[in-house]
Amino acid sequence: PRQFFVGGNFKMNGSVDTIKKIINHINDAEKDPNTEVVIAPPALYLLLAREHLKAPLEVAAQNVFDKPNGAFTGEISVDQLKDSNITWTLLGHSERRVVLQEDDQFVASKTKAALDGGIGVIFCCGETLEQRESGETVKVVTTQLAAVKEKVQDWSKIVIAYEPIWAIGTGKVASTEQAQEVHAAIREWLKKEVSEKVAEETRIIYGGSVSEKNCKDLSKQPDIDGFLVGGASLKPAFVDIINSHL
Ligand code: 13P
């Protein structure tokens, strides 16, 4: 069975004070011991988070660069994450794909660099409303994944986050059927394009307006193995989402 996985993506939110408070709340809460929990604060607060967050909880970057240390102003390397005990990174979040114009190739190249350096990758994929309405959802998501397949052999440290763009920060969560349908399609793609074992073992988590109210039903779907939580990860209710699978 796949271990349930809940990530908190703080995006560009928080301060020294509020991030410490959120982490203390998560530390002190009773949490499902069978759920893997990873929080992703802004880069500036990664070390602070690592210092305060209690094991076995892990810290993720929201992004990493695909080149080794050198003259790349404003970027952070895989080695620097490792040096700081940061064991995961998000990659390919739609806000980076859309606002920062990262394309499939660049995201795949960063995925390879992170995995080669031993950093786990929460790989985000998802369609726009327009793409969904024209029936392209599965094509869009599997194209994003195909770019990774070109560069990566070992999928054991990849968690796939399906995040429909129309559900992010909108309060418009995908229905359990909509989410399950795409998760199943991703697993089918893995089975056909990578291997049966990778399809069986890879966690596919859902993101987009996940809350303490809707997480229970979503968590019961056979192909939903956890969540990537934005807004609600900044609130005490994040703990209820961590415990949704209990
Ligand atoms: P919200 O939970 O705020 O909709 O954000 C989802 C997300 O983008 C997580 O990466």
Side-chain angles (χ1 to χ4, degrees):
R2 298 177 288 269
Q3 188 184 14
F4 207 70
F5 185 105
V6 175
N9 175 9
F10 291 2
K11 309 193 179 185
M12 197 173 73
N13 292 299
S15 63
V16 169
D17 188 49
T18 61
I19 288 175
K20 272 195 213 158
K21 283 195 177 114
I22 295 166
I23 287 176
N24 287 337
H25 179 80
I26 298 171
N27 282 338
D28 294 345
E30 251 187 78
K31 296 177 290 296
D32 180 350
N34 296 317
T35 291
E36 188 169 1
V37 180
V38 176
I39 65 154
L44 189 56
Y45 303 111
L46 285 169
L47 279 171
L48 176 86
R50 187 56 287 170
E51 188 188 330
H52 285 84
L53 193 69
K54 288 196 186 129
L57 306 205
E58 300 274 341
V59 179
Q62 294 178 10
N63 184 32
V64 73
F65 202 47
D66 63 347
K67 305 279 190 300
N69 293 357
F72 301 104
T73 303
E75 293 298 323
I76 293 175
S77 72
V78 171
D79 278 352
Q80 289 170 330
L81 292 186
K82 277 200 290 195
D83 180 50
S84 306
N85 282 320
I86 308 304
T87 47
W88 287 91
T89 185
L90 308 183
L91 283 172
H93 193 281
S94 62
E95 287 146 20
R96 296 204 62 84
R97 291 181 189 265
V98 175
V99 185
L100 282 302
Q101 296 179 11
E102 296 190 1
D103 64 17
D104 291 352
Q105 295 311 316
F106 187 41
V107 175
S109 170
K110 296 198 287 186
T111 301
K112 178 182 164 43
L115 295 171
D116 285 351
I119 298 280
V121 174
I122 302 167
F123 178 87
C124 307
C125 57
E127 82 287 4
T128 63
L129 186 58
E130 199 190 353
Q131 289 165 333
R132 170 161 287 265
E133 284 172 347
S134 50
E136 290 170 29
T137 299
V138 172
K139 194 185 103 200
V140 168
V141 168
T142 55
T143 302
Q144 291 168 339
L145 284 162
V148 172
K149 187 197 132 181
E150 293 286 300
K151 294 190 162 68
V152 164
Q153 271 84 50
D154 181 2
W155 286 68
S156 62
K157 283 191 162 167
I158 301 182
V159 168
I160 298 171
Y162 168 58
E163 301 206 307
I165 295 175
W166 48 272
I168 295 178
T170 56
K172 221 175 124 184
V173 67
S175 68
T176 49
E177 295 77 17
Q178 283 172 325
Q180 166 58 28
E181 190 184 17
V182 180
H183 284 230
I186 292 171
R187 206 174 299 288
E188 203 44 49
W189 181 88
L190 287 172
K191 191 171 160 186
K192 240 180 74 209
E193 299 293 329
V194 186
S195 75
E196 194 141 348
K197 183 173 183 320
V198 167
E200 203 48 55
E201 292 177 355
T202 302
R203 271 88 57 91
I204 307 174
I205 65 177
Y206 169 80
S209 296
V210 174
S211 72
E212 71 280 15
K213 294 195 183 75
N214 58 35
C215 61
K216 264 248 180 279
D217 280 346
L218 286 162
S219 77
K220 289 183 191 133
Q221 299 299 312
D223 289 297
I224 299 183
D225 306 311
F227 300 112
L228 186 56
V229 185
S233 69
L234 300 160
K235 301 187 187 136
F238 184 52
V239 172
D240 298 327
I241 302 172
I242 292 173
N243 291 332
S244 59
H245 205 50
L246 275 177

